[in-house]
Amino acid sequence: MSILIKNIKELLQVRENNVTLVKGADMKTLPTLKNAYVLIEHDTIVEYGSMADLGEIEAETIIDATGKIVLPTWCDSHTHLVYAGNREQEFVDRINGLSYEEIANRGGGILNSAAKLQNMDEDELYNISAERLINVMKQGTGAIEIKSGYGLTVEAELKMLRVIKRLKQEFPIKVRATFLGAHAFPKQYKEQPDSYIDLIVNEMIPLVSRERLADFIDVFCEKGYFSLEQTARILEAGKAHGLTPKIHVNQFNAFGGVALGVKHQALSVDHLEIMTDEDVEVLKNSNTMPVGLPACSYFISIPYTPARQIIDAGLPFALATDYNPGTSPTGNMNVVVSAGCIKMKMTPEEAINAATINGAYAMGISNMYGSICRGKKANLMITKPISSYNYLPYAFGDNLIDQVIINGSII
């Protein structure tokens, strides 16, 4: 299978060399090529360049992209896409004045989702999750991380991870799996939290590792959830079984979680709505990617991650959806890119870099995804005719994606 996309108005995120992340002032630069073409063979980008240099190239499929912009598909590095049911009543509760913590204390939140998932058949869970995955692919996402964490029992956590594995096998999109058994404490462990840590460390993690169900280990390190000490124990156990650390941190409080993530060589630290100068400093000279989740901030009316502070300090930054039923019920990365610009004061160039190459880095796949580079995977999206790439975040309510190519196939 070969595809030639020609007459491209502007080709974005063009990299002669295989850059794996961009940071600081470099995030303001988005390399582009006008009046361009891209040649795809099988699942790989094999050539691109100016239309003036196209010459005689044959391809089985030819796409005329006159007036259109082509860019890499979005790389969504933080989602909870596999879940049962929804939580629209909690949406109404928040409108009526209840906080996230108050809803959780009433049995809502994560525990609500866990109860629904525990009672759902695995095939049904797979089917509804597959529908969500198809939708986000159509919206331009070509690589995605999916977490467990709505099971909170050995059986239900493994059920979630097996569904994620099935999605990985059945769809062309690149899927990375994260074990998040430490998402909340089940009710029966509220008075004996260390017993739940024992269950995660001694039973869940070894089973996840044995079945090769996850790439990453994650913890919700937050007051009222998992402490620094509990988080450290879980991350250490995960690393001992070959799982790379990630961490939910600083969503509501800053109390040392970022430093803990860096200490354990976390690939990413995610949320970061509350940041201190010390948090920013500790990220310097680390290989950890800060990830912002603006759709969550929008939906539950909490502060936005201070992207300007992070980028202006010379750090890299990524954007992701946090797609989940309670605090960010959308997997639309186009909305997230717009929110990065509108609410986090990122330039369009910074937001696109954050949602492509840096998002891929936060999944450990930027060597093959996230930019237009010879030899990388052919994951591209073609916009409708638009005036410039600035129009993508500007027209935040419009569907501007015309075609999506994942793994060299038009979906």
Side-chain angles (χ1 to χ4, degrees):
M1 178 69 178
S2 58
I3 300 174
L4 173 64
I5 311 172
K6 65 178 186 177
N7 299 321
I8 301 167
K9 180 175 182 176
E10 193 164 11
L11 181 63
L12 309 187
Q13 196 60 279
V14 175
R15 304 281 178 177
E16 283 291 331
N17 300 312
N18 193 2
V19 174
T20 56
L21 86 165
V22 289
K23 58 185 178 180
D26 290 341
M27 288 190 67
K28 286 186 169 66
T29 300
L30 182 67
T32 74
L33 184 63
K34 295 184 178 180
N35 192 26
Y37 74 91
V38 173
L39 178 63
I40 296 167
E41 291 185 359
H42 303 295
D43 63 350
T44 304
I45 298 168
V46 296
E47 193 55 84
Y48 66 85
S50 170
M51 283 298 295
D53 301 324
L54 176 59
E56 295 295 326
I57 293 180
E58 294 185 359
E60 295 169 72
T61 301
I62 297 176
I63 299 173
D64 187 343
T66 298
K68 302 176 180 180
I69 288 173
V70 174
L71 67 160
T73 51
W74 307 124
C75 297
D76 189 353
S77 66
H78 184 127
T79 85
H80 306 257
L81 178 142
V82 174
Y83 61 85
N86 55 55
R87 288 171 16 207
E88 74 267 29
Q89 182 55 50
E90 295 175 18
F91 170 68
V92 177
D93 289 341
R94 276 193 300 275
I95 293 171
N96 288 326
L98 292 183
S99 70
Y100 182 93
E101 292 83 356
E102 287 170 333
I103 291 170
N105 290 334
R106 291 174 49 174
I110 296 165
L111 296 182
N112 183 0
S113 289
K116 292 177 180 177
L117 188 138
Q118 290 163 11
N119 293 315
M120 180 172 282
D121 174 76
E122 183 175 315
D123 288 335
E124 183 181 359
L125 182 62
Y126 170 80
N127 289 335
I128 61 174
S129 300
E131 289 180 11
R132 296 185 193 114
L133 189 59
I134 291 168
N135 285 337
V136 301
M137 290 167 61
K138 290 178 179 178
Q139 292 166 348
T141 294
I144 192 167
E145 180 262 16
I146 308 174
K147 304 179 190 294
S148 70
Y150 287 135
L152 305 185
T153 67
V154 175
E155 297 77 12
E157 285 293 309
L158 292 176
K159 177 167 62 178
M160 288 190 74
L161 290 167
R162 288 171 184 146
V163 166
I164 296 169
K165 185 174 183 178
R166 288 173 65 183
L167 295 172
K168 183 186 301 188
Q169 293 169 338
E170 296 296 325
F171 289 88
I173 186 173
K174 181 68 174 179
V175 176
R176 299 283 268 170
T178 298
F179 170 57
L180 180 60
H183 201 190
F185 284 100
K187 289 180 181 178
Q188 63 268 36
Y189 289 97
K190 282 292 185 182
E191 303 304 320
Q192 46 180 345
D194 287 340
S195 295
Y196 186 59
I197 307 300
D198 290 341
L199 182 67
I200 292 172
V201 168
N202 297 327
E203 190 167 349
M204 290 187 183
I205 290 175
L207 285 172
V208 169
S209 175
R210 191 176 309 147
E211 293 192 34
R212 298 183 179 180
L213 292 174
D215 305 290
F216 306 115
I217 182 80
D218 197 348
V219 180
F220 187 12
C221 182
E222 183 58 70
K223 290 183 178 179
Y225 290 85
F226 293 84
S227 69
L228 294 175
E229 294 76 14
Q230 292 165 336
T231 299
R233 186 180 171 203
I234 293 166
L235 294 182
E236 288 166 1
K239 287 195 295 182
H241 283 83
L243 302 177
T244 299
K246 282 176 166 280
I247 186 171
H248 282 60
V249 69
N250 287 44
Q251 183 174 6
F252 303 109
N253 302 277
F255 59 96
V258 172
L260 181 68
V262 170
K263 178 182 176 182
H264 287 276
Q265 297 88 46
L267 182 59
S268 69
V269 287
D270 300 28
H271 272 292
L272 309 179
E273 288 88 348
I274 307 299
M275 287 285 279
T276 66
D277 291 341
E278 290 76 15
D279 291 327
V280 172
E281 285 300 314
V282 79
L283 284 166
K284 295 179 180 178
N285 301 314
S286 80
N287 294 316
T288 299
M289 176 66 71
V291 179
L293 309 169
C296 175
S297 297
Y298 172 77
F299 193 72
I300 63 171
S301 300
I302 61 174
Y304 287 83
T305 305
R308 280 267 54 89
Q309 179 188 8
I310 292 168
I311 296 170
D312 291 346
L315 293 168
F317 188 67
L319 289 168
T321 63
D322 194 20
Y323 190 8
N324 76 81
T327 63
S328 184
T330 180
N332 192 334
M333 281 291 288
N334 304 284
V335 171
V336 166
V337 169
S338 291
C341 296
I342 297 165
K343 292 297 186 180
M344 301 164 79
K345 306 305 179 185
M346 300 173 72
T347 67
E349 294 83 359
E350 289 171 333
I352 293 171
N353 276 321
T356 55
I357 189 69
N358 283 0
Y361 179 93
M363 288 185 272
I365 59 171
S366 58
N367 62 322
M368 291 300 292
Y369 297 85
S371 65
I372 307 296
C373 185
R374 296 175 186 90
K376 279 196 168 184
K377 292 294 184 183
N379 281 20
L380 308 172
M381 52 183 161
I382 305 169
T383 71
K384 297 173 182 177
I386 56 175
S387 54
S388 75
Y389 63 75
N390 294 326
Y391 195 77
L392 288 170
Y394 164 78
F396 67 92
D398 293 347
N399 175 15
L400 300 174
I401 306 303
D402 187 29
Q403 288 179 287
V404 178
I405 297 171
I406 296 178
N407 244 17
S409 297
I410 301 170
I411 64 163

